[in-house]
Amino acid sequence: MTVIDLVPYEDALATYDPVMGLEVHVELGTKTKMFCACATTLRADANSQTCPVCLGLPGALPVVNAIGVESAVRIGLALNCDIAEWCRFARKNYFYPDMPKNFQTSQYDEPIAYGGYLDVQLEDGEIFRVEIERAHMEEDTGKSTHVGGATGRIHGASYSLLDYNRAGIPLIEIVTKPIEGAGARAPEVARAYVAELRELIRALGVSEARMEMGQMRCDVNLSLRPHGTEKFGTRSETKNVNSLRSVERAARFEVQRHAAVLNAGGTIVQETRHFHEEDGSTTSGRVKEEAEDYRYFPEPDLVPVAPSREWVESLRAGLPELPRLRRNRLREEWGISEHEMRSVLNAGALDSIIATIDAGADQAAARKWWMGELARRANEQGVEATALPITPAQVARVAELVAEGSLNDKLARQAIEGVLAGEGEPDAVVEQRGLKIVSDDGALGQAVDDAIADNPGVADKIRGGKVAAAGALVGAVMKATRGQADAGRARELILERLAPAE
Ligand code: ADP
Ligand code: MG
Ligand code: ZN
């Protein structure tokens, strides 16, 4: 491996203009595979979800998954694409051990959806339009595990294991047109595009699109051309990047690497590259000087797909509100800034907050608990807040107890702690831990009298008209009741008892 000195990012941008192409694969969440009735359950025993069709045994006949086609059409429509009136599947022929048929059933020159766009919002609120070349249907490959080597790659491994459970799971591949004009913001655009696409896929309910689980993966194509020139440079293609942050880092690294090669008078070879999480670098994979010859031909065992216009229009009518528009609507309804909304999104808390509001909490309280206490606890445990063992309904109940004055914030945090510790529903935790706020004048009155008796100096000041000193006594009451007193009521009682004589 040759070590190259990267060009500083700003310097690279001073000379060159990046052009990108993003290819995103989305694994659909269908119950069965794309061309057979095998289940798609995660983490099943290896090769337990296979049949003659997805193993490519001679004579097996595939049948198209209707939900797979419907999902593809809905994705295409949400991306503002045209939907083909008639299209076919094609065989993409190549040999690889994780592909038992020796061809992948895909689409070639007849994609089901083409010519669309997705508007993405950048950090500063600006909208950038990414044009979509096509979205087509295909199937996933099996999974190889290379055992014995140091890197987990096939080189150096002593043997490989193959699991065909994933072979034949429906994939939709979404390919952008070359993205030009993003300049220095190219890496940010790449990240924002994949983030927006992920939200869209989730809103459509066609996949959970969890990148860390490989349900959505992105190939980042990138080239540089000198400012003022039209012709695209040679691209590199960084494969299977599986987080938003990595998409941004991979694009940035490639800008710096390409610039280094070009500045030194070298030429970029068209190749695939691997991305490395540890240091954000990419290394060479497979050289791809010319388009590989996959000997594509129309799949003879599958009937063409001809979505009727009526059906397409009914699917269009049933599309959900676009995530970007929904976010902007909620932001306005809640009266929060772009920045606050972005924090909510980055925390992955939007859906939980909405569910908490739907369960009866007011929006400010719902946001406060998810972005405050729960975000903090999630952070401590290194998980997303949504992964904590508390439901939006439980958070809403805690918020309700605060709103009706039964709990103050401190007690509410203890109630949440109890729910997270598996002590049951919020009401049960409050009961068992004795968290009810002390506001009845009997118990509270006693605590107030004790505080006055214990602090005669402070009491005298208040009697003398120094009302501000009441804070010290409220503090004493809170301490005596272990934070369970209604602080406002305690203050009233203190001032009543220590009113200056008229
Ligand atoms: P392949 O399957 O060989 O990777 P595709 O056409 O499916 O080719 O995808 C290539 C992606 O890269 C597309 O998004 C395309 O817009 C983009 N692209 C093509 N040429 C260039 C280039 N010179 N620089 C950057 N991106 C490019
Ligand atoms: Mg590609
Ligand atoms: Zn099967």
Side-chain angles (χ1 to χ4, degrees), residues 55-359:
L55 290 177
L57 301 187
L61 281 176
V63 177
V64 178
N65 182 329
I67 304 290
V69 177
E70 181 184 290
S71 302
V73 172
R74 294 179 68 230
I75 291 171
L77 290 171
L79 291 171
N80 307 289
C81 289
D82 288 332
I83 304 301
E85 305 233 358
W86 189 90
C87 63
R88 284 176 296 189
F89 287 96
R91 288 190 185 185
K92 180 179 182 180
N93 297 283
Y94 67 100
F95 169 77
Y96 202 77
D98 65 12
M99 206 184 52
K101 300 194 295 190
N102 284 341
F103 62 85
Q104 180 188 29
T105 308
S106 181
Q107 293 197 282
Y108 182 47
D109 49 359
E110 299 167 350
I112 188 153
Y114 52 91
Y117 63 86
L118 180 63
D119 285 336
V120 305
Q121 196 156 10
L122 304 181
E123 290 281 337
D124 66 357
E126 192 194 315
I127 304 289
F128 190 98
R129 178 161 292 188
V130 175
E131 305 215 43
I132 307 292
E133 174 79 40
R134 57 192 275 155
H136 70 249
M137 302 178 281
E138 56 183 41
E139 58 179 336
D140 214 340
T141 56
K143 202 173 158 70
S144 340
T145 308
H146 306 296
V147 184
T151 59
R153 298 196 190 280
I154 195 165
H155 303 284
S158 358
Y159 61 92
S160 297
L161 298 171
L162 285 158
D163 175 7
Y164 293 115
N165 284 351
R166 200 178 66 182
I169 290 190
L171 290 181
I172 304 297
E173 178 173 348
I174 301 153
V175 184
T176 69
K177 292 196 171 136
I179 302 170
E180 303 175 64
R185 305 181 78 173
E188 187 194 341
V189 167
R191 180 197 177 114
Y193 167 74
V194 179
E196 193 63 41
L197 189 55
R198 187 177 68 174
E199 289 308 306
L200 185 65
I201 296 293
R202 289 179 178 168
L204 290 167
V206 295
S207 169
E208 289 178 30
R210 282 181 292 182
M211 295 184 80
E212 74 285 2
M213 297 187 61
Q215 292 170 335
M216 179 165 169
R217 26 195 211 259
C218 178
D219 299 343
V220 180
N221 293 268
L222 189 133
S223 65
L224 296 182
R225 60 183 172 190
H227 282 308
T229 62
E230 288 288 314
K231 194 169 169 288
F232 291 168
T234 303
R235 68 183 155 115
S236 58
E237 181 178 359
T238 306
K239 303 290 282 182
N240 291 328
V241 186
N242 67 357
S243 76
L244 296 180
R245 177 161 177 265
S246 299
V247 168
E248 183 164 4
R249 289 170 91 201
R252 197 178 167 91
F253 183 90
E254 282 299 283
V255 166
Q256 295 181 265
R257 186 185 67 85
H258 280 229
V261 173
L262 297 171
N263 283 356
T267 43
I268 296 288
V269 276
Q270 188 172 334
E271 62 182 357
T272 63
R273 297 186 68 85
H274 303 293
F275 178 73
H276 306 283
E277 294 281 347
E278 320 82 71
D279 60 358
S281 70
T282 68
T283 53
S284 182
R286 186 160 49 94
V287 174
K288 209 173 169 186
E289 296 267 10
E290 275 160 35
E292 277 149 291
D293 188 353
Y294 290 114
R295 300 284 154 128
Y296 279 100
F297 64 85
E299 166 61 61
D301 289 340
L302 287 168
V303 291
V305 176
S308 81
R309 295 302 97 178
E310 295 72 36
W311 184 55
V312 169
E313 287 317 309
S314 74
L315 292 179
R316 192 196 304 278
L319 290 179
E321 183 180 21
L322 285 176
R324 186 173 56 81
L325 302 180
R326 174 167 174 262
R327 281 197 310 266
N328 287 341
R329 176 175 59 75
L330 290 170
R331 194 175 63 68
E332 286 187 6
E333 281 174 21
W334 297 351
I336 62 174
S337 67
E338 288 274 358
H339 180 75
E340 285 172 298
M341 191 54 156
R342 195 156 286 283
S343 311
V344 168
L345 296 172
N346 290 343
L350 184 62
D351 290 337
S352 302
I353 292 173
I354 291 170
T356 304
I357 295 169
D358 289 346

Side-chain angles (χ1 to χ4, degrees), residues 305-451:
V305 176
S308 81
R309 295 302 97 178
E310 295 72 36
W311 184 55
V312 169
E313 287 317 309
S314 74
L315 292 179
R316 192 196 304 278
L319 290 179
E321 183 180 21
L322 285 176
R324 186 173 56 81
L325 302 180
R326 174 167 174 262
R327 281 197 310 266
N328 287 341
R329 176 175 59 75
L330 290 170
R331 194 175 63 68
E332 286 187 6
E333 281 174 21
W334 297 351
I336 62 174
S337 67
E338 288 274 358
H339 180 75
E340 285 172 298
M341 191 54 156
R342 195 156 286 283
S343 311
V344 168
L345 296 172
N346 290 343
L350 184 62
D351 290 337
S352 302
I353 292 173
I354 291 170
T356 304
I357 295 169
D358 289 346
D362 89 35
Q363 61 87 10
R367 278 192 295 120
K368 177 180 127 170
W369 289 113
W370 283 103
M371 295 304 293
E373 181 68 4
L374 292 168
R376 189 181 63 74
R377 286 178 178 274
N379 199 23
E380 274 171 15
Q381 297 177 26
V383 297
E384 294 238 314
T386 48
L388 292 173
I390 188 166
T391 64
Q394 290 169 327
V395 177
R397 178 63 187 151
V398 171
E400 194 182 346
L401 290 169
V402 174
E404 72 185 31
S406 303
L407 296 180
N408 58 21
D409 276 10
K410 183 165 176 235
L411 295 172
R413 282 198 292 277
Q414 293 175 34
I416 284 175
E417 180 185 80
V419 174
L420 292 174
E423 294 168 23
E425 291 299 316
D427 287 284
V429 174
V430 167
E431 184 68 34
Q432 283 152 26
R433 291 193 174 200
L435 298 179
K436 276 263 159 98
I437 212 164
V438 179
S439 60
D440 69 285
D441 289 358
L444 195 55
Q446 187 57 53
V448 166
D449 290 341
D450 291 348

